[in-house]
Amino acid sequence: MNPNAPLRTKPAPLTRSDRASLIKQVAIVFFGFLAVGLPLPPIALYMHDQLGFSAGMIGFAIGIQSVVTVLSRHRAGTLSDNHGARYVIRLGLPLSALAGLFYLLAASAPLAGEAKLALLIMGRIALGFGESLFITGAMSWCIGRLGPQRTGLVMSWQGIAMYSAIGLGAPIGLALYAATGFAGVGIAAALSPLIALGIAYAIPDVPPTGHAQRTPFYKVIGLIWRSGMVLFLATIPFAGITGFMTLAYLERGWSGAGLALTAFSTGFIALRLVASHLPDVYGGARVAMVSLAVEALGQAMIWLAPNPTVALAGAFVTGLGFSLIFPAMGVEATRRVPIEQRGRAVANFIAFFDLAIGVTAPAVGYAAGLFGYGTAFLIGAVAALAALVMAARG
């Protein structure tokens, strides 16, 4: 990553056909990812308030999904390269819907708390496999359709879909939880991937890009690890907000945690709507360095917030900072690999995001048990600064 690299030429405007393809893929990611975002705050509240589990166990249950996703990403990328992106989308979305059914069973079955926890974990595992497949397929499909010169644009809009699902899913999930209990959350989490599946059946595939032989995992990682590590560190603040903002508000005696999550997504989406082309034009490193400084500021604001208004502003600033990290580092990662390994590069790059979620949730949960839930945002600020140093040295 060279922040002094010359500017690149802005890609030509999208054709009508390209825009239609992008919209369909964005819709698939949005409805598929609702199954990820919608249950996140309710799972924490359900486990804390009704099942009585500790912060560490809550973190484990949230994070196990990302651990599974990390372990299956490379395989998802290989399947996408060898069999086509739509193939893996159609595998992943039903698995994501299955997770909602496990949540529903956990909420409604007359079982002990430990058995309900087991069902929740089974749902998180199913969602881990499902998300690995459909996100990898959607991004590989769209890059293949629009061209590698639009990698930053594709990842920006796919990310808008993902974090819109987080921002809208969080308050929807909390509202469903308040009105119908955790069972209603499970039903909604099962239905949303099925909507995405219907869209996926209506679109054509792009030809597979890979070869029959298997590409070793270490070879792909060797090409993208630096970009991936910047993404890993930059994702820790996001993981802290989605997993522990609600509990931090409760600990401080505040209301409006769902609004704070929406503020994060508002900042995230607003910047992407006007600046999604920047990584393709200026290069990933330049964009990432500015973004990481902003993200660290937002995390410090939440950590030190004396009232919910400052915390709300900090969530918004964090969203602005995190907005372009994923596409910026995605540009850096995918340009280092040949086209026949694009699916694997995309999959393993995204795995650094998943790994950050999987590591952060239990680690921050443990720290929160010792020092309070606000610790999540101090950790996030330090992680963003560390990513900034790594990007500058790259």
Side-chain angles (χ1 to χ4, degrees):
M1 294 178 289
N2 181 10
N4 298 315
L7 302 186
R8 305 174 185 181
T9 302
K10 185 176 180 178
L14 296 176
T15 66
R16 179 177 297 181
S17 175
D18 289 340
R19 285 195 297 271
S21 297
L22 181 60
I23 289 170
K24 290 176 183 177
Q25 288 295 332
V26 166
I28 289 172
V29 172
F30 174 78
F31 286 109
F33 215 77
L34 270 180
V36 179
L38 188 148
L40 274 178
I43 283 177
L45 292 176
Y46 180 65
M47 292 184 64
H48 182 271
D49 295 342
Q50 298 192 34
L51 301 184
F53 287 106
S54 66
M57 184 56 70
I58 294 171
F60 174 80
I62 292 173
I64 190 65
Q65 177 226 320
S66 294
V67 173
V68 172
T69 306
V70 167
L71 296 177
S72 59
R73 280 289 187 201
H74 186 75
R75 182 58 180 166
T78 301
L79 288 172
S80 179
D81 286 337
N82 291 343
H83 298 285
R86 191 172 62 171
Y87 173 82
V88 295
I89 292 174
R90 290 178 174 181
L91 285 178
L93 289 170
L95 282 172
S96 299
L98 180 63
L101 296 180
F102 277 116
Y103 301 155
L104 175 60
L105 186 59
S108 57
L111 300 171
E114 290 76 10
K116 289 178 178 289
L117 174 63
L119 288 171
L120 289 175
I121 291 174
M122 290 171 67
R124 303 298 292 170
I125 290 172
L127 185 60
F129 284 114
E131 191 235 314
S132 176
L133 290 162
F134 82 77
I135 290 292
T136 298
M139 290 197 177
S140 298
W141 190 96
C142 216
I143 293 171
R145 178 67 179 82
L146 302 184
Q149 74 277 10
R150 293 194 177 99
T151 295
L153 178 69
V154 168
M155 289 191 167
S156 290
W157 279 96
Q158 299 282 34
I160 286 174
M162 292 167 63
Y163 299 113
S164 294
I166 293 289
L168 294 174
I172 291 172
L174 288 170
L176 283 172
Y177 182 73
T180 65
F182 196 61
V185 174
I187 292 172
L191 289 177
S192 61
L194 298 181
I195 296 173
L197 186 63
I199 300 171
Y201 270 95
I203 61 174
D205 203 357
V206 292
T209 60
H211 301 301
Q213 72 267 24
R214 180 175 178 175
T215 303
F217 171 78
Y218 72 88
K219 287 187 177 180
V220 179
I221 290 296
L223 295 172
I224 69 167
W225 74 270
R226 190 178 295 275
S227 298
M229 280 303 302
V230 173
L231 176 65
F232 172 90
L233 291 168
T235 301
I236 290 174
F238 165 73
I241 283 182
T242 56
F244 296 97
M245 180 66 90
T246 301
L247 295 175
Y249 264 58
L250 287 175
E251 183 179 66
R252 296 175 180 183
W254 299 341
S255 60
L259 186 60
L261 291 168
T262 301
F264 169 86
S265 293
T266 299
F268 179 95
I269 294 167
L271 188 61
R272 282 206 177 178
L273 288 175
V274 299
S276 61
H277 63 286
L278 293 183
D280 290 325
V281 176
Y282 292 94
R286 287 178 173 178
V287 174
M289 289 166 63
V290 175
S291 298
L292 288 163
V294 174
E295 186 181 36
L297 173 62
Q299 288 288 279
M301 290 172 66
I302 301 173
W303 173 49
L304 298 172
N307 55 60
T309 301
V310 176
L312 187 70
F316 179 79
V317 172
T318 300
L320 290 175
F322 188 57
S323 180
L324 297 180
I325 297 295
F326 185 80
M329 292 297 96
V331 167
E332 295 292 337
T334 55
R335 71 180 178 85
R336 299 173 183 270
V337 299
I339 188 172
E340 64 271 12
Q341 296 180 15
R342 182 171 55 217
R344 278 158 279 200
V346 168
N348 285 289
F349 173 70
I350 301 173
F352 283 92
F353 171 88
D354 302 318
L355 185 62
I357 300 292
V359 170
T360 299
V364 172
Y366 178 77
L370 297 176
F371 306 109
Y373 288 106
T375 307
F377 311 111
L378 171 60
I379 294 172
V382 172
L385 292 175
L388 173 58
V389 171
M390 188 170 190
R393 290 181 175 177

